[in-house]
């Protein structure tokens, strides 16, 4: 997306009529034709018309538009971006004189992640990259950036106010949004429990029969794990309702992986599973495509000889794939149906190798 424009988070998701929900189900299928609004800590469910967003983008110079932050949702009423803009300036203005010098900005880039993200610069940036950004911020070219210039750069035409604005209310009759994709951590709950209003929001979704899906990026458990969490203790959003959150309204990273694996791995493939324990992944795979999974060789560990054999087969397949599609195109014919060798991760966090420290997915 062009970072100088508002991000329009409406997507038309269309699927055919479905019968019973399979053990793993695509995101589109769970919303069944809704215009979906993504809800996360970085997007509070506020949407705008595309022509209005483009109009806002035209008020920003091409140079500034390139430097605007991709999560700039301040114009839609979300508070986090405005707050970050003001906080970043105050962090760098250590002497409190209301101005930033080149030295202040360099120090901020090295010290504060929020400054790096706002300016899209890393501590290792070149002098030319830094000068380009500083000159864009320094309207008067006097080597100093005042708070007004800083705020106008990131919040053009919005009076530079970095206080917390009130979000726009959601009105059912006026909004084009008819379904919701809902992040959980930071949107529905925090580590200490539910965020105020979460239970009331979910009750409204259930009572009004509004299409919705709760999204979780965990690969360490299936939708049943998320369902259990949302039904107990400080995270219970179903009090007073008939039953837990339906599994059809939950999608995890494990769901997405199961859908991917059963879509691309041919019969006879070899799969090494790396998981944090349990067999939830097996139940999900079997529920999705039992006959196909039964044809795979699925292992949770390999000895050295087996690992060498599997690696040799994988290398052979890659060589044949490069020959069949030298430019990375779609594989068709015999090579597309040839059994593959893969490693699937059903876990969260880093992978350890015999206590030797983190191991990247490429084995380094």
């Amino acid at each position: 997306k062009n970072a100088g424009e508002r991000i329009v988070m409406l997507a038309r998701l269309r699927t055919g009529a479905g019968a019973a929900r399979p053990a793993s189900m695509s995101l589109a299928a769970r919303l069944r034709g809704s215009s979906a609004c993504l809800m996360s800590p970085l997007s509070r469910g506020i949407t705008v018309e595309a022509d209005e967003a483009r109009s806002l983008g035209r008020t920003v110079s091409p140079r500034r538009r390139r430097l605007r932050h991709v999560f700039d949702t301040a114009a839609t009423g979300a508070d986090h971006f405005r707050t970050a803009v003001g906080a970043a300036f105050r962090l760098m203005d250590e002497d409190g004189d209301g101005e930033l010098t080149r030295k202040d900005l360099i120090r901020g880039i090295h010290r504060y992640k929020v400054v790096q993200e706002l300016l899209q610069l890393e501590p290792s940036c070149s002098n030319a990259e830094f000068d380009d950004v500083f000159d864009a911020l320094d309207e008067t070219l006097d080597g100093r950036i005042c708070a007004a210039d800083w705020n106008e750069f990131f919040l053009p035409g919005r009076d530079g106010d970095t206080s917390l604005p009130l979000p726009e209310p959601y009105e059912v009759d006026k909004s084009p949004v008819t379904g919701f994709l809902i992040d959980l951590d930071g949107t529905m709950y925090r580590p200490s429990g539910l965020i105020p209003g979460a239970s009331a929001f979910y009750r409204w979704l259930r009572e009004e029969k509004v299409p919705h899906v709760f999204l979780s990026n965990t690969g360490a458990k299936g939708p049943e794990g998320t369902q259990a969490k949302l039904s107990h203790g400080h995270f219970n959003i179903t009090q007073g309702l008939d039953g837990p959150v339906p599994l059809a309204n939950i999608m995890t990273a494990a769901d997405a992986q199961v859908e991917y694996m059963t879509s691309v791995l041919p019969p006879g493939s070899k799969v090494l599973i790396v998981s944090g324990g349990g067999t939830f992944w097996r139940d999900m795979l079997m529920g999705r495509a039992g006959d196909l999974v039964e044809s795979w060789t699925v292992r949770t560990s390999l000895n050295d000889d087996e690992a060498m054999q599997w690696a040799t087969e994988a290398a052979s397949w890659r060589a044949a794939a490069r020959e069949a599609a030298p430019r990375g195109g779609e594989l068709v014919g015999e090579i597309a149906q040839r059994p593959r060798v893969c490693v699937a991760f059903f876990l969260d966090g880093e992978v350890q190798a015999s206590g030797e420290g983190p191991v990247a997915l490429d084995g380094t």
Side-chain angles (χ1 to χ4, degrees), residues 84-263:
V85 169
F89 186 92
R90 291 189 291 272
L91 284 170
M92 292 186 289
D93 185 21
E94 294 185 358
D95 56 11
D97 65 354
E99 293 183 325
L100 300 178
T101 64
R102 287 178 177 272
K103 183 178 180 180
D104 292 330
L105 208 61
I106 291 173
R107 183 171 58 237
I109 292 172
H110 280 80
R111 286 186 179 179
Y112 305 114
K113 188 68 174 178
V114 64
V115 175
Q116 297 172 22
E117 292 179 348
L118 284 173
L119 299 180
Q120 299 180 22
L121 286 177
E122 294 294 332
S124 59
C125 68
S126 67
N127 291 336
E129 290 175 311
F130 176 82
D131 289 341
D132 184 45
V133 172
F134 190 90
D135 291 344
L137 287 161
D138 184 12
E139 286 285 325
T140 58
L141 301 178
D142 62 355
R144 306 183 75 84
I145 303 167
C146 67
D149 288 342
W150 176 268
N151 292 336
E152 176 63 20
F153 178 83
F154 289 105
L155 308 169
R158 308 178 208 168
D159 69 26
D161 181 18
T162 55
S163 60
L164 304 182
L166 293 175
E168 298 176 12
Y170 173 75
E171 300 183 47
V172 178
D173 297 334
K174 297 180 180 180
S175 175
V177 174
T178 58
F180 293 87
L181 308 178
I182 309 167
D183 185 28
L184 289 170
D185 191 0
T187 302
M188 296 298 288
Y189 57 69
R190 299 187 182 97
S192 58
L194 292 176
I195 288 175
S199 293
F201 173 59
Y202 181 62
R203 177 182 292 276
W204 173 78
L205 291 173
R206 288 274 291 260
E207 292 178 347
E208 298 298 322
K209 296 181 172 58
V210 178
H212 61 280
V213 176
F214 289 116
L215 303 175
S216 172
N217 63 358
T218 180
K221 58 178 178 284
E224 291 83 1
T226 299
Q227 180 190 62
K229 181 170 185 175
L230 295 175
S231 302
H232 296 91
H234 299 301
F235 302 97
N236 187 358
I237 63 172
T238 62
Q239 290 184 1
L241 297 175
D242 183 18
V245 178
L247 293 178
N249 296 100
I250 301 171
M251 185 170 189
T252 68
D255 274 304
Q257 175 149 273
V258 165
E259 182 177 347
Y260 176 78
M261 292 173 65
T262 54
S263 298

Side-chain angles (χ1 to χ4, degrees), residues 32-48:
R32 293 192 296 276
S34 301
S35 291
C37 174
L38 176 66
M39 298 189 68
S40 77
L42 291 174
S43 60
R44 298 298 183 188
I46 307 299
T47 58
V48 295

